[in-house]
Amino acid sequence: MSLKKLKSNYGEIISYLIVGVLTTVVSMGVYYGLVLTVLDPNDAILLQAANVISWVAAVTFAYFTNRKFVFKSKEKNMLKEAAKFYGSRVVTLLMDMALMFILVTLIGMNDKWAKIIVQIVVMAANYFLSKLFVFNARKKRRNAKNTEDNVLNDTE
């Protein structure tokens, strides 16, 4: 299979995976930067503050990079689009927490293995939620066509 055909068939997924790796680097970089400098990870509140700040930084980075490089969004209302993106990420954050609780606390699975499994599930869920609800180009084209058809029908 040629590189061109690979890009044509799987370009969006490959871009999503690259952005996902970079998002993870942002998350980990912000987290470690905070706990190694200004926030004490031995204090439960400061630990969670570092975790939340790193999550916000990562999701913000992910929004802009997914918008531009993965889904190539042309949405004019970025605030509405960003709100949907953050909302979908909150959903998968809750999914992450629930799955970790089930796998580690209830079932007794090793937390390191559980986290790997959960991250794969969350990454897939993030992709599908972004594709279906946030950056849904097909739905936007259909809505634009319906609006155009309505305008044409109203003028007849």
Side-chain angles (χ1 to χ4, degrees), residues 37-85:
T37 58
V38 295
L39 298 177
D40 180 6
N42 295 315
D43 180 319
I45 292 173
L46 296 179
L47 174 71
Q48 289 306 319
N51 200 33
V52 168
I53 293 167
S54 72
W55 181 84
V56 169
V59 172
T60 301
F61 174 82
Y63 169 67
F64 287 105
T65 52
N66 275 290
R67 175 182 165 77
K68 182 168 178 78
F69 300 111
V70 179
F71 299 106
K72 298 171 177 53
S73 176
K74 304 290 187 222
E75 174 62 50
K76 300 282 187 238
N77 189 344
M78 284 180 63
L79 190 57
K80 180 180 175 186
E81 185 180 70
K84 290 193 297 186
F85 188 83

Side-chain angles (χ1 to χ4, degrees), residues 1-14:
M1 185 180 272
S2 74
L3 200 57
K4 196 177 219 177
K5 187 161 176 110
L6 255 176
K7 185 176 187 233
S8 172
N9 291 342
Y10 304 106
E12 185 176 271
I13 292 172
I14 292 167

